[in-house]
Every structure is written in structure tokens, then in C-alpha cells.
Amino acid sequence: MENSGHNSDNGARIARSFVAARRAGTALADYPGDPPAALSDAYAVQDMAITLTGRTIAGWKVGRINPPLGGVDRLVGPIFADQVVDHRPEPVDMPVFARGFAAAEAEFLLRIARTPDPAKLRYTMDEARVLIDAVHIGIEIASSPFPGINDHGPGVTISDFGNNNGLVVGGAIPEWREADLTIWPIEVSINGGLVGAATAAEMLDGPFGAARFLLELMAARGIALTPGQWISSGAVTGVHPVAIGDRVEAIFDGRLTVTCAIKVQ
């Protein structure tokens, strides 16, 4: 009981600290508590922070745990509606924490078609695909008030909303059901210089594998996914550090482009 109380108090302190820092746009020089001992503890902190922030969730980011922890190779975090931006011909401004962690990632974005059965805990890849009604290109902005967010294990990352701070929704991919997205070449440039190139074949079992993981995890957590929410399915070319004033461009299959400009939170 004593340990349970410590975990609860510790988790509440972590959640309050991150929510306050994000609201104020300030940095946290140190992690504000004892790092979560297990992934379940980290998601408990995330749940507390979601309740505290009171913001509408427009989707979920899925990130990789490398190396896997206890056989788990992915993590998730909420994407809030007020940080989801549609792309425009000119780069859209996306905020990051100037003295925290800041990066940009090229990702396939999957849109949820309908609410999954809350009692269904396991999905095949085909069952996951059926619950998707659109696929777009996009850029996830990964940023946290804590500059060491990715240096202390997945529990720390999960505890601060999975290190998400926004999503740029690019153009829709036509006929995505017939396309093999895992072979598309994807490139990311910052200020005109190439920083990453890869295909989704290198990211575990691809974007629909990320959707399957999310469906199963959220069913286990008792969190309902709703129609229209986005799944940001994982960094294809890597996690690319950015600074205030940078211009980020992601090119998918040599023809579909999405851009953003990095500004201070």
C-alpha cells in the first residue's frame, strides 16, 4: 500500500509538472519525479496528464521502443486538436520548446473510420486496415519541456504525452488501399539539406502494424478511439532535431510534399 501511494503521488507530481510547463512554454531542466518503473506506470501518468490538461484529443502518435522493453516495441501518446494543422502551399508554423527537446518526423497518417469494438483486444493486420478510411502524408512535431525526454527510456517519453507537440496533416494518398506504402521512398530535408531517407519497410511491420498496436493497446487501456481521429504511425526516416527558424520538408514517393516552419512555443 505504501508503494502504491508513492507511485500515485509521484505520478501526479510528474503529470502536474509537465502540464504546467507545457502551458507556460517553459523548460524542465530535470525530470520532475522518479521515472516510471513500468510502462503501465507511465501510461497512468499520461492518463493523469490528459485529465489535467482538459484538451480534446484529435489522434494518437505511435513511436518505436528500440530495443523493445518486455517484448513491447512501440509506445503511444495523445495528439491534441489545437495542435493539428492542415498543410498549405507555404510552410505552416509549428511550435517547439526552445530549451527543451525538439524534432520533426515524416510519417504516414491514418484516419480512423469508426469506433472499434471496446471488447476486442486482438487484431489482424487486415482487421486493422478495415478501420482506416484515409491515409495522408504528414509531419509529427516531437517536442517536450524536458530536453532529456528520449534519453531515459520509454516510460519517461510516455509520461509526457509520448513527446508529441503537434501534427501537420499533408495531402491524402489516392488509392492507398492498392498501394504498397512500405516501398515508397521518403526523404526529409531541413533548410534545404537532406537529413534522412528511408522506406516504411524499415519501421517494424509498417504503418498498419502501428494501427494494429494502437487498437490493441487502447482497448487494454479502456480508451475509446473515435471516427476522424488520426494515427501518426511512426517516424519513417528517423527523429530529426530542429531549432527555431528551421524549415522542414518531407517528400513521399518523390511527388507528395509537406512542409512546416519551426517557431518558439
Side-chain angles (χ1 to χ4, degrees), residues 1 25 111 132 163 188 257:
M1 292 295 291
R111 193 175 66 192
I132 304 302
N163 196 16
V188 175
T257 302

Side-chain angles (χ1 to χ4, degrees), residues 23-265:
R23 283 174 176 164
T26 55
L28 292 171
D30 300 303
Y31 189 70
D34 297 326
L39 295 183
S40 58
D41 296 331
Y43 283 118
V45 177
Q46 187 182 107
D47 289 342
M48 284 187 276
I50 288 170
T51 298
L52 285 171
T53 199
R55 295 155 71 191
T56 300
I57 295 174
W60 297 87
K61 64 86 55 78
V62 180
R64 185 171 186 174
I65 298 176
N66 191 23
L69 181 62
V72 179
D73 54 16
R74 286 181 166 110
L75 58 80
V76 308
I79 303 170
F80 296 108
D82 56 3
Q83 293 180 312
V84 176
V85 181
D86 290 332
H87 81 120
R88 297 190 294 268
E90 69 281 3
V92 296
D93 289 337
M94 297 300 290
V96 300
F97 295 92
R99 293 188 297 144
F101 178 90
E105 307 169 8
E107 311 211 1
F108 287 106
L109 312 182
L110 284 55
R111 193 175 66 192
I112 296 172
R114 62 180 182 275
T115 298
D117 178 356
K120 185 174 176 60
L121 299 178
R122 294 290 181 266
Y123 285 83
T124 66
M125 197 76 80
D126 287 341
E127 288 172 335
R129 289 176 68 97
V130 166
L131 288 172
I132 304 302
D133 66 2
V135 179
H136 289 233
I137 65 171
I139 296 173
E140 183 202 347
I141 299 300
S143 190
S144 168
F146 178 44
I149 186 75
N150 283 348
D151 299 335
H152 301 278
V156 168
T157 303
I158 290 167
S159 70
D160 185 29
F161 300 138
N163 196 16
N164 178 264
N165 201 52
L167 191 68
V168 183
V169 179
I173 298 174
E175 301 178 356
W176 60 270
R177 295 187 187 278
E178 290 73 42
D180 184 357
L181 301 180
T182 64
I183 66 172
W184 279 25
I186 299 174
E187 296 183 346
V188 175
S189 296
I190 297 177
N191 302 325
L194 183 67
V195 296
T199 68
E202 301 169 44
M203 50 177 288
L204 301 174
D205 51 2
F208 293 101
R212 179 175 65 179
F213 175 83
L214 179 70
L215 290 165
E216 293 180 351
L217 178 65
M218 301 315 256
R221 290 173 68 186
I223 296 177
L225 300 171
T226 57
Q229 285 185 331
W230 293 103
I231 304 171
S232 192
S233 62
V236 180
T237 67
V239 179
H240 306 296
V242 293
I244 306 304
D246 282 349
R247 183 183 186 276
V248 181
E249 179 179 58
I251 302 175
F252 291 69
D253 200 33
R255 56 194 175 87
L256 301 175
T257 302
V258 57
T259 61
C260 68
I262 305 301
K263 70 172 187 175
V264 68
Q265 178 75 28

